[in-house]
Amino acid sequence: MEEQLIKSCLEGDKRSLEKLIKSIDQLVYNLSIRFLWNKADAEDATQEILLKVITNLSKYQGKSKFNTWVYRIATNYLINQKKTSFEKRPISFSQFSEELNSINDPVSYDLPDSGLLEKEMKTGCTLAMLQCLSRELRIVFILGSILKIKSNVACEIIEISPENFRKRLQKSRKLIGSFLNSNCGVYNTANKCRCNKRIHIAIASKRIVKEDLNFVDNIDVYNEEMEELNSMTGIYSNHGDFINKSDFYKELNQLIASKRIFNEI
């Protein structure tokens, strides 16, 4: 079925191409939003990655699953792209810790949208922690600990040995786990930081914009009952799936209509 769909795309069938794009666009977006944190950056990256997938489609030889091949293109793009808006203001774990502990008397946020904004705060904060990791460690943590891709597949995606993948995953988990244990009140209730008590500050600094939420407006599933409060995997897996409402095929349609894409395949 997949082989036939790809064959039809290479023959210039636009409906097949649309179907192919829509089968992978959210996969690419979910990887991008976790890697980049910023929704706009993730949307731009997704479109660029999809374009790379389309223009290199003839190079897919079926030696691995198609999604694995797509992930390889996506991770290569993300790791090698120029500095993102977030990375232009780099933050370390120590700086992040200082910021979280800098508020002496935080005020609770008790307006009707507190539940929604607390989820936004929690998701944004835990994903921002990933920005403290190097790109190489960040992509390994996302693949192995968040997306739970098997190590033999993940090492194929980023083209490193299984041993190196395991070492990087262990290092990234140690760094994130240590930070969570020392700072996050969700992960360790002994810590004073609480998501609700940071909402006022996040709104004032425009890290949260009520009319344009970065995360929870686009989360398909958020099962709070399943959340493992003291589990690293639980915290990250309970973000749910990020659903971008953009029609990436429509955005690429001008290129497709002009046949520029098909000429490059």
Side-chain angles (χ1 to χ4, degrees), residues 85-119:
S85 56
F86 201 115
E87 289 174 325
K88 288 176 181 177
R89 307 184 305 276
I91 186 169
S92 66
F93 283 112
S94 59
Q95 290 171 316
F96 203 165
S97 180
E98 286 178 14
E99 181 182 326
L100 291 178
N101 291 284
S102 64
I103 309 163
N104 295 323
D105 298 304
V107 179
S108 296
Y109 183 92
D110 299 320
L111 296 179
D113 58 355
S114 62
L116 181 70
L117 296 187
E118 186 170 343
K119 292 175 184 178

Side-chain angles (χ1 to χ4, degrees), residues 32-144:
S32 299
I33 188 71
R34 288 179 165 100
F35 190 87
L36 300 171
W37 187 86
N38 181 272
K39 180 171 65 175
D41 287 343
E43 289 173 347
D44 290 344
T46 298
Q47 186 164 330
E48 289 297 322
I49 292 165
L50 291 174
L51 188 57
K52 285 183 177 294
V53 169
I54 294 167
T55 55
N56 287 281
L57 197 55
S58 62
K59 297 178 183 178
Y60 174 65
Q61 299 177 345
K63 294 181 179 179
S64 60
K65 290 185 178 180
F66 182 65
N67 281 3
T68 301
W69 184 74
V70 171
Y71 269 131
R72 188 181 303 133
I73 291 175
T75 56
N76 186 61
Y77 175 85
L78 291 169
I79 288 173
N80 292 295
Q81 69 171 322
K82 64 182 181 180
K83 281 188 177 181
T84 65
S85 56
F86 201 115
E87 289 174 325
K88 288 176 181 177
R89 307 184 305 276
I91 186 169
S92 66
F93 283 112
S94 59
Q95 290 171 316
F96 203 165
S97 180
E98 286 178 14
E99 181 182 326
L100 291 178
N101 291 284
S102 64
I103 309 163
N104 295 323
D105 298 304
V107 179
S108 296
Y109 183 92
D110 299 320
L111 296 179
D113 58 355
S114 62
L116 181 70
L117 296 187
E118 186 170 343
K119 292 175 184 178
E120 175 79 2
M121 188 78 237
K122 184 185 298 182
T123 305
C125 187
T126 49
L127 288 185
M129 293 173 198
L130 303 185
Q131 299 296 313
C132 297
L133 296 170
S134 68
R135 287 184 174 188
E136 288 75 16
L137 291 181
R138 195 187 317 160
I139 197 67
V140 165
F141 185 85
I142 293 169
L143 294 176

Side-chain angles (χ1 to χ4, degrees), residues 106-212:
V107 179
S108 296
Y109 183 92
D110 299 320
L111 296 179
D113 58 355
S114 62
L116 181 70
L117 296 187
E118 186 170 343
K119 292 175 184 178
E120 175 79 2
M121 188 78 237
K122 184 185 298 182
T123 305
C125 187
T126 49
L127 288 185
M129 293 173 198
L130 303 185
Q131 299 296 313
C132 297
L133 296 170
S134 68
R135 287 184 174 188
E136 288 75 16
L137 291 181
R138 195 187 317 160
I139 197 67
V140 165
F141 185 85
I142 293 169
L143 294 176
S145 289
I146 301 179
L147 299 179
K148 299 179 183 178
I149 295 174
K150 292 181 179 180
S151 59
N152 63 315
V153 176
C155 68
E156 181 185 345
I157 289 170
I158 55 178
E159 299 180 294
I160 61 174
S161 70
E163 182 181 4
N164 281 338
F165 180 82
R166 286 192 294 269
K167 286 181 178 178
R168 291 184 190 181
L169 182 58
Q170 183 180 26
K171 184 176 181 179
S172 63
R173 286 179 63 85
K174 184 177 180 179
L175 289 168
I176 292 291
S178 177
F179 183 84
L180 285 167
N181 191 53
S182 300
N183 296 276
C184 179
V186 175
Y187 187 82
N188 181 354
T189 55
N191 295 317
K192 68 177 184 179
C193 186
R194 294 294 182 273
C195 298
N196 180 279
K197 292 185 177 182
R198 296 193 60 80
I199 294 174
H200 284 295
I201 297 166
I203 292 173
S205 64
K206 296 186 178 180
R207 290 183 181 177
I208 287 181
V209 178
K210 288 188 178 186
E211 298 77 19
D212 185 25

